Amino acid sequence: MRGLIRNPVALALVALALVILLGATVSIVPETRQAVIVRFGEPVRLINRYHPNEKFGNTGAGIALRVPFAEQIVWIDKRIQSVEMERQQVLSTDQLRLQVDAFARYRITDPLRMYISAGTEERVKDALRPILGSALRNELGKRPFAALLSPERGQVMSNIEAGLNRVARQYGVEVIDVRIKRTDLPDGTPLQSAFQRMRTARQQEALTIRAQGEKQAQIIRAEADAAAAQVYAASFGKDADFYDFYRAMQAYRRTFNPQASGQTTVILSPDNEFLREFRGR
Amino acid sequence: MNKKTPSPVRRFLSHLSKPVLAMAQGPWGGKPDDDSGEKPQGPSSGGPRNPWTQPPRGGGPRPGGGPERPSLFDDLLRRGREGFGGGGGPGPGGGFPGAQARGLWPIGLAIVAILWVVLTSFHRIGPQERGVVLQLGKYSRTLQPGIGLTLPAPLERVEMVDVEEIRTIDVGSVGQGAENLVLTGDQNIIDLAYSVRWNIRDADLYKFQLADPDATIREVAETAMRSVVATVSLTDALGAGRTVIEQQVEERMQQILDSYRGGVRVQGVAIKQADPPEAVNDAFKEVSASQQAAQTYINEARAYAQQLNARAQGEAAAFDKVYEQYRLAPEVTRRRMYYETMEAVLADTDKTVVEAGNVVPYLPLPEVKSKERAATPAAGANEGGR
């Protein structure tokens, strides 16, 4: 023993062997992962399995022991994962198309089942993706277009979730929710016709506004005319005869204005009122 | 160094000076003067070694193995080991705990162990951080800001999480960038750009509950925004309803994230831009142009009304004044006005006075210069004007 301790190389080798043994026996299970212990290919027990309403700190995380070299540990993520669906084109009952982008959040609640049926997390995701797509298309295809824009109102999303959960349970997975991220009109005719509709609506609105403006303007003018006429009538109506005379004087001044274009030639007769005094009496 | 029988102090000093001397050799070994015979056989004697010469074959086992030159560290070790081994016996005063054992190893290990324990048990947590303590993988507690004490490293690990920092997610881009088209409730389309601010509320939930929390929050933001915009009309989204939309999106996001138990708080949503899409922008500009035009029409009409009103009042007032005067002396005023007007009017005109009677009036019309209209034809001359 002393010789062993004296010899540093041997010491190092022994230490290394101990470390390897330790690594094969003891594992630290983090809060974010659950584990399936597999002995010679067959799953024997689960560690840190997911339970709903479990608080962190009281889970099965911590130290896990296993038989070294005979048992393998398979890690499975315990957290909420997400699977995204590719863009799908959905046809509504009134024959209108919509491009939908959706995602689903799921969690592996039965790791044993997941290990047996799918093996790895990647395969679970690949299995869920097409099912999500078809469930979405089926459910949304039963609705009119207006309902597609707001599928949250009503049962649509929960129906999709229920349908997806039925399949997901076989993989040991629980689907938490399904949500639509984007809805777009498909490029090409639907999008362009929507734009055209917006354009014509705007043009109509523009014309209406203009017409309203003109109508208002005309009313204002008419009112102004009426008010002016009223003012005139109130004033000139006091003596219609005198107004006639007064206005005629104004008119003569303006009409026979020497600065105005045209020259005026007046031919007077001595009988003219103007020349009355001219004749003498 | 000479091997005398030194006093304890001198022995102490000599032990200490060995490493110092070793360093004085320079990092490539070799000694300026060597007379103790402790030097290993390998390196050439005398003078500092040339680093480009071939390293000599090793003398004695070297811990590192391989064609390594006997480095300073090796020298130190060997010196220490042999010095202590050779010294044996009662060590000098002062604590050398491992003096009876093999050498430097236990002391070094002890020092390292103490340092390790001290460094990994005390944690300084800043005011905006929280420390999530993992006890062999299991979550044990969250440390508040200040100095936290935990078990040393392999038993308990602390992960710092910045909970006060407000992170921002930007969706869409302002200006000419890519469009982020969203459908509104009345099946119109707008181009939205907005940003979401959030921070971490529960450090343990944030770390353990969601895989990829940042991407999750972004997707939740897009979902919430889309579903809220699909309930408003185009005019609301473009104008007055923005604050309502922002509020509703914030509420919905918080609701969804809480249903995941994500431990995240949404601080706010800000819509940076809500515009009609590029393709129909002109039509929208047309609308505002027509609004301007309508306003212009109305303004013009008002101006006309003002003008008319002023003129009417002016004329009416003038007439009233004259009428007042007239009423005081009607006939005189009338005469006066008549004469004044006629005077002014006939002053600058061409006048011809034709006497009625036996003279046949001959009016040389071509000579009468009248440009556009004949002022008064011959018939008018006989009747006379009033």
Side-chain angles (χ1 to χ4, degrees):
Chain A
M1 203 55 182
R2 284 206 116 220
L4 198 65
I5 293 181
R6 292 262 171 189
N7 191 348
V9 172
L11 203 62
L13 282 175
V14 168
L16 197 64
L18 272 176
V19 163
I20 291 178
L21 199 65
L22 205 70
T25 312
V26 173
S27 306
I28 292 185
V29 180
E31 293 277 3
T32 56
R33 289 203 244 163
Q34 43 194 348
V36 177
I37 307 282
V38 177
R39 185 189 299 159
F40 301 123
E42 189 191 331
V44 278
R45 64 176 187 284
L46 304 169
I47 301 184
N48 197 18
R49 192 204 160 134
Y50 171 75
H51 296 283
N53 301 328
E54 215 176 23
K55 290 196 77 60
F56 293 115
N58 297 333
T59 59
I63 295 275
L65 296 168
R66 64 183 199 272
V67 175
F69 307 118
E71 294 181 338
Q72 304 295 327
I73 194 163
V74 174
W75 294 110
I76 295 172
D77 205 319
K78 197 177 168 190
R79 296 178 290 186
I80 297 182
Q81 317 283 323
S82 93
V83 60
E84 228 186 60
M85 191 190 74
E86 301 147 7
R87 257 171 169 222
Q88 303 267 345
Q89 215 176 68
V90 172
L91 192 64
S92 65
T93 49
D94 41 358
Q95 306 305 317
L96 293 171
R97 295 183 183 279
L98 197 66
Q99 293 239 357
V100 172
D101 240 348
F103 61 87
R105 302 232 168 266
Y106 67 94
R107 187 186 239 136
I108 298 174
T109 51
D110 193 347
L112 187 65
R113 192 166 214 141
M114 188 224 107
Y115 179 72
I116 293 173
S117 59
T120 66
E121 295 173 49
E122 272 308 309
R123 288 231 223 112
V124 171
K125 223 183 250 220
D126 289 336
L128 282 179
R129 205 174 281 126
I131 300 170
L132 173 61
S134 69
L136 202 79
R137 264 201 314 277
N138 286 343
E139 195 56 42
L140 292 180
K142 296 183 199 152
R143 315 274 160 167
F145 190 73
L148 292 192
L149 292 182
S150 303
E152 280 79 16
R153 300 182 187 157
Q155 289 293 96
V156 182
M157 300 317 284
S158 32
N159 285 351
I160 300 178
E161 244 174 78
L164 201 57
N165 254 326
R166 244 177 279 130
V167 179
R169 214 165 290 137
Q170 300 166 10
Y171 290 95
V173 159
E174 179 201 346
V175 171
I176 298 177
D177 70 356
V178 179
R179 293 196 188 267
I180 294 183
K181 194 162 80 162
R182 296 186 60 90
T183 51
D184 287 317
L185 290 175
D187 273 339
T189 318
L191 193 64
Q192 293 308 318
S193 64
F195 284 155
Q196 190 59 23
R197 188 166 40 81
M198 289 173 79
R199 242 180 250 126
T200 48
R202 295 299 131 242
Q203 282 165 359
Q204 195 178 18
E205 198 181 328
L207 281 176
T208 310
I209 291 177
R210 242 180 244 269
Q212 287 289 333
E214 282 177 0
K215 179 184 95 168
Q216 280 294 94
Q218 207 158 16
I219 290 178
I220 292 177
R221 271 181 227 261
E223 279 175 1
D225 285 337
Q230 194 182 29
V231 167
Y232 285 142
S235 161
F236 300 158
K238 289 185 209 143
D239 190 344
D241 212 29
F242 177 63
Y243 171 68
D244 185 29
F245 171 74
Y246 172 78
R247 194 61 185 81
M249 293 297 116
Q250 272 188 328
Y252 297 155
R253 260 186 226 268
R254 285 200 202 126
T255 319
F256 295 110
N257 193 352
Q259 274 89 23
S261 61
Q263 262 191 324
T264 317
T265 309
V266 176
I267 299 163
L268 297 167
S269 146
D271 296 329
N272 198 333
E273 183 65 32
F274 186 51
L275 300 175
R276 189 178 46 153
E277 305 300 332
F278 199 63
R279 282 203 300 270
R281 263 199 269 248
Chain B
M1 296 297 287
N2 293 329
K3 274 213 179 102
K4 343 183 215 184
T5 49
S7 67
V9 175
R10 197 169 297 174
R11 200 173 157 96
F12 175 59
L13 283 176
S14 75
H15 275 287
L16 278 185
S17 63
K18 282 202 182 88
V20 173
L21 260 186
M23 277 189 251
Q25 295 169 15
W28 286 277
K31 265 187 70 164
D33 55 348
D34 167 24
D35 52 2
S36 74
E38 288 176 23
K39 256 182 72 156
Q41 295 304 311
S44 54
S45 56
R49 274 198 9 203
N50 188 345
W52 277 273
T53 55
Q54 284 287 61
R57 281 185 299 108
R62 290 203 190 87
E68 269 183 4
R69 285 170 245 123
S71 63
L72 167 67
F73 187 59
D74 285 344
D75 267 349
L76 253 177
L77 280 184
R78 202 159 292 117
R79 227 172 275 283
R81 202 181 309 127
E82 286 167 3
F84 272 105
F96 278 93
Q100 79 281 12
R102 298 179 307 104
L104 218 45
W105 287 105
I107 299 179
L109 276 177
I111 292 177
V112 167
I114 292 177
L115 273 177
W116 177 267
V117 166
V118 164
L119 283 176
T120 59
S121 297
F122 288 92
H123 304 275
R124 196 179 149 276
I125 298 166
Q128 75 279 17
E129 294 174 332
R130 304 279 179 275
V132 174
V133 178
L134 294 170
Q135 200 173 49
L136 290 171
K138 182 192 282 217
Y139 168 69
S140 113
R141 60 193 186 282
T142 308
L143 295 174
Q144 299 296 315
I147 301 276
L149 191 61
T150 63
L151 295 178
L155 298 175
E156 283 193 344
R157 245 173 5 105
V158 174
E159 288 179 5
M160 299 292 186
V161 178
D162 192 340
V163 298
E164 297 291 336
E165 179 195 350
I166 295 196
R167 299 148 206 246
T168 313
I169 295 177
D170 288 314
V171 182
S173 60
V174 180
Q176 294 299 106
E179 292 190 314
N180 178 27
L181 299 180
V182 182
L183 282 171
T184 64
D186 45 359
Q187 298 184 25
N188 287 320
I189 303 174
I190 58 172
D191 177 15
L192 265 185
Y194 57 98
S195 70
V196 176
R197 295 183 315 277
W198 61 277
N199 73 334
I200 299 174
R201 185 177 54 200
D202 298 315
D204 52 338
L205 287 179
Y206 176 78
K207 284 195 79 62
F208 304 136
Q209 186 75 349
L210 293 169
D212 202 355
D214 297 351
T216 302
I217 295 173
R218 176 179 270 266
E219 286 180 345
V220 168
E222 290 192 52
T223 284
M225 178 61 81
R226 185 206 61 76
S227 66
V228 168
V229 170
T231 59
V232 298
S233 70
L234 180 67
T235 37
D236 283 342
L238 288 179
R242 272 197 214 188
T243 35
V244 174
I245 292 177
E246 288 173 356
Q247 217 168 338
Q248 286 183 346
V249 171
E250 189 184 325
E251 277 169 22
R252 191 170 290 224
M253 274 188 74
Q254 191 65 62
Q255 206 178 9
I256 297 176
L257 287 169
D258 284 343
S259 77
Y260 296 159
R261 286 176 69 216
V264 163
R265 183 187 297 116
V266 177
Q267 293 289 343
V269 175
I271 295 182
K272 293 189 284 195
Q273 170 191 295
D275 282 341
E278 245 345 277
V280 298
N281 218 1
D282 292 338
F284 279 81
K285 287 200 186 123
E286 185 63 37
V287 170
S288 38
S290 73
Q291 280 169 340
Q292 300 292 327
Q295 195 59 36
T296 311
Y297 295 152
I298 294 179
N299 287 346
E300 279 175 359
R302 288 220 184 96
Y304 168 83
Q306 286 277 16
Q307 225 179 7
L308 203 63
N309 191 28
R311 192 147 58 94
Q313 295 205 341
E315 287 191 10
F319 179 79
D320 285 341
K321 292 240 162 26
V322 174
Y323 186 63
E324 286 304 310
Q325 300 306 315
Y326 168 80
R327 281 218 310 186
L328 297 175
E331 194 52 39
V332 171
T333 312
R334 189 182 274 252
R335 284 272 133 208
R336 179 177 60 81
M337 284 174 70
Y338 179 74
Y339 281 130
E340 277 175 0
T341 308
M342 287 297 141
E343 192 177 41
V345 162
L346 294 176
D348 290 327
T349 61
D350 296 333
K351 296 163 279 286
T352 312
V353 181
V354 175
E355 180 89 28
N358 298 327
V359 181
V360 176
Y362 167 69
L363 213 52
L365 282 174
E367 291 177 19
V368 172
K369 294 183 197 131
S370 84
K371 277 197 194 147
E372 292 109 341
R373 290 161 229 153
T376 37
N382 281 336
E383 289 162 16
R386 193 188 127 73

